[in-house]
Structure formats: C-alpha cells, structure tokens
Amino acid sequence: MIDVPLSVLDLAPVARGATAGEALRHTTELARRTEELGYHRFWVAEHHNMPAIASSAPAVLLAHLAAHTSTIRLGSGGVMLPNHAPLVVAEQFGTLEALHPGRIDLGVGRAPGTDQVTALALRRTVEGLSAEGFPRELADLMNYFTGDEPGPIRATPGLGQSPAVWLLGSSGFSAQLAGLLGLPFSFAHHFSAEHTLPALRLYRQSFRPSRWLQRPYAMVAVNVVCADTDERAEWLAGPSALSFLKLRAGRPEPLVTPEVAAAYPYDDPERQFVRQRRDGQATGCPETVRRQLGDLLTRTGAEELMLTTMVYDVADRVRSFELVAETVAGGLTRNA
C-alpha cells in the first residue's frame, strides 16, 4: 500500500464544448470529494492564455474552494511570482490565511506559466520577465509575512498571518534555493521527469534547518489516471497527451474526447514525445498504479505525492481519485 500522504493538483481543465464556469464547478466538486476521501491538500495552478486550463487566478479560486470545504489544506501549485508584485501576493494569501487559518499553502514558482507575450501583458515591464530576480522577490514576499526587515510598507492582511510557503520547481535552481532557505519543496515530475532525481538530491544536499522546517520535506507531483482496467486508463489518458502535444507545438486547445484523441494521426516524432511524457507517470488499473507509484516513491524517497489527473469527463476524474484512495492507498484518513 502507498503509505505517504497523497494530495491533489488540479488545473480546472476545460473540455471542448464546455465553459470555464463548468470547469470551475467541476474543480469544486473534485475538491469536496477528495476532502471526503482523505486527501491531504488540494492545490490549483496558475496558467495563462491556455484554452484548456481555467485556473488562471489561484487566489480567487482558492477563496471559493475554501468556502466549499472545511478541512483539506488548499494552496497554489503555484503562484508564478514573476507575474506579480510580491506585496500583492502577500496580501492575497495573507487574506486567505486570515479567513482560513492553518489551511492555506502558498506554493511559489519562478516560471511565468505562459508564453513571453502573455507574461509581458501580466507584468507590464520587460524587466519583470527575467527569472534572475526571483530570489530577491521571494525574500521580499517572505518579509511581508515575517517583518524581519521592517520597512515603510506593511502587508495587511499578511504580516504575522503567513501561509505555509513552498517552493516549486522543475529543475535544480528552485530545489537548491528551497534547501538553502529551509522550505518544503514540490517537484513537477509530471512534466519534467528526467530532472526529478537530480533536483531532489540537490534539495536534500543543500538543506539547512529553518524556523519553518527542521528537515527536508519533498513532495513529487505525478500524472495519474486510474480506472478499472489498464485499457480503460490508457483510453482516458489520450486527451491529456494530445493536449500537451498541442501546447508544446504552440497550438493550445481544450481537451478533446477520448474518441477524438484516439483518432489523431500521430507521426513518429509525436508518438515519441508522448511516450517520453508518459515515462515515470502512473496510468492503469489500481494494481498497475500501485506498482508505478510505489516505484516512484522508492526512487525519489518523497515524503508526499501530489496527483494530477487530466481527463475529459469529470466523472472519470473523480473516479480515478476514488480508486487511488480506496484501493491503491487502502484508505487515506490516516494521512490527512
């Protein structure tokens, strides 16, 4: 059995023919159900200019989810700091923490979560597009919560009402920074599997105990599609693979049906791309997913896994999390 805490990363996927409102209602439904099942935390991710993803405003969505749940931790996976002034992020998440004390996570990333043109529209200045200023902006953000370096600006809410701050990453930079700052670290294995082990090794080697954390705590985000049979899971995973292929080709579009995905005429390079993307992820019946997640835990030594499931129909999405909770993990209430 999988005996580490399991959590959820949701992107509010928009299916072809559906609206953003429907996608957000489905995310709310999923948050409620995963809370009932005993998942530890539920995060939403910041993406922009992507027709298949409706989670572009994490703080707003988290406020809604918090009002419709009561115990599950809620957070951003993540807020992309280069897109925002640190003061704005501090006040938004300080407000969430003030309203829902002890339930809010602030996962912070240094990528824009979009293309450079959209990033410029968000930041409104070319200087803000570089990730080189990330450590300074992160320090400013943390200071708004701690007040360690008093200044003329006070985050209200924010000062003294800090959410749990995480660093997110898909390479070694944020891994090392999280270790040096003594922060928990979440790695994006779901789209950067080849860098997972080196980044986690770097995080643990560079870790320094802090006021927030005495020992390293690593969470690994992984794609999971669990169904009654391997064949059914592979069928359901088709739209996500095609959507990511289209995104990488610069042609993002909403999730298509499994039938449309199965009929897509992949050429050889595209098939290779999809195979590489699936490497190290978990797709199949409960026994297959248990084996795949167990292997991932053995290889990474992660303290927690965060599952993300991109399928066309919300009922299949919910069912996947139910199967993992009830069959793969044998019940999650002990991990909550």
Side-chain angles (χ1 to χ4, degrees):
M1 290 294 178
I2 304 300
D3 60 0
V4 301
L6 297 183
S7 294
V8 180
L9 172 64
D10 195 68
L11 307 184
V14 182
R16 179 180 288 180
T19 66
E22 290 171 315
L24 294 169
R25 285 191 289 274
H26 291 160
T27 289
T28 305
E29 176 186 341
L30 183 63
R32 288 169 169 163
R33 183 62 181 132
T34 52
E35 178 178 70
E36 293 172 349
L37 292 166
Y39 283 87
H40 188 46
R41 54 184 107 237
F42 190 100
W43 283 9
V44 297
E46 178 185 350
H47 292 283
H48 301 279
N49 198 27
M50 296 185 186
I53 296 174
S55 57
S56 56
V60 178
L61 181 52
L62 290 173
H64 174 78
L65 296 178
H68 288 81
T69 57
S70 58
T71 58
I72 195 168
R73 293 193 65 90
L74 298 166
S76 57
V79 162
M80 301 308 171
L81 194 54
N83 297 340
H84 311 283
L87 177 60
V88 172
V89 177
E91 291 180 336
Q92 288 176 344
F93 279 79
T95 298
L96 288 168
E97 178 66 22
L99 289 169
H100 307 281
R103 291 184 61 202
I104 304 301
D105 298 326
L106 171 54
V108 181
R110 73 184 185 108
T114 188
D115 58 88
Q116 288 295 296
V117 173
T118 308
L120 179 59
L122 288 162
R123 236 328 158 77
R124 297 185 299 169
T125 170
V126 174
E127 289 76 14
L129 298 182
S130 172
E132 295 178 0
F134 179 75
R136 176 185 54 78
E137 293 192 336
L138 178 63
D140 291 342
L141 173 61
M142 300 289 287
N143 188 61
Y144 284 126
F145 292 128
T146 65
D148 287 346
E149 298 181 12
I153 301 173
R154 178 185 177 120
T156 307
L159 182 62
Q161 292 171 313
S162 176
V165 178
W166 290 67
L167 279 194
L168 280 56
S170 57
S171 64
F173 181 91
S174 291
Q176 185 174 33
L177 183 59
L180 293 172
L181 296 177
L183 292 172
F185 177 61
S186 179
F187 188 82
H189 177 79
H190 58 305
F191 64 79
S192 187
E194 69 274 19
H195 297 123
T196 302
L197 297 183
L200 293 179
R201 189 179 308 115
L202 185 59
Y203 169 60
R204 292 175 178 128
Q205 290 173 347
S206 61
F207 185 84
R208 299 175 182 173
S210 69
R211 72 175 79 175
W212 299 286
L213 206 59
Q214 289 302 301
R215 58 183 61 88
Y217 192 96
M219 178 165 65
V220 172
V222 54
N223 280 310
V224 175
V225 178
C226 191
D228 293 326
T229 66
D230 287 350
E231 294 75 16
R232 172 73 176 170
E234 294 286 345
W235 171 258
L236 295 176
S240 176
L242 181 58
S243 177
F244 197 74
L245 176 67
K246 297 280 190 178
L247 176 64
R248 283 297 175 93
R251 304 190 306 273
E253 61 180 39
L255 283 176
V256 299
T257 66
E259 291 82 2
V260 170
Y264 180 80
Y266 287 96
D267 60 27
D268 288 340
E270 289 174 335
R271 288 191 188 93
Q272 178 65 19
F273 175 84
V274 169
R275 281 195 295 268
Q276 290 175 343
R277 172 160 167 75
R278 296 281 294 279
D279 184 44
Q281 311 302 316
T283 303
C285 70
E287 182 55 39
T288 299
V289 169
R290 182 187 302 114
R291 183 177 67 253
Q292 291 167 333
L293 293 182
D295 178 65
L296 180 63
L297 282 172
T298 299
R299 290 186 292 113
T300 63
E303 281 76 24
E304 186 171 342
L305 293 178
M306 176 161 274
L307 317 183
T308 182
T309 300
M310 289 277 282
V311 296
Y312 178 80
D313 192 284
V314 67
D316 292 317
R317 193 148 115 246
V318 171
R319 181 60 177 156
S320 180
F321 284 103
E322 289 174 341
L323 286 171
V324 171
E326 297 166 354
T327 306
V328 175
L332 288 174
T333 54
R334 68 186 183 278
N335 293 330

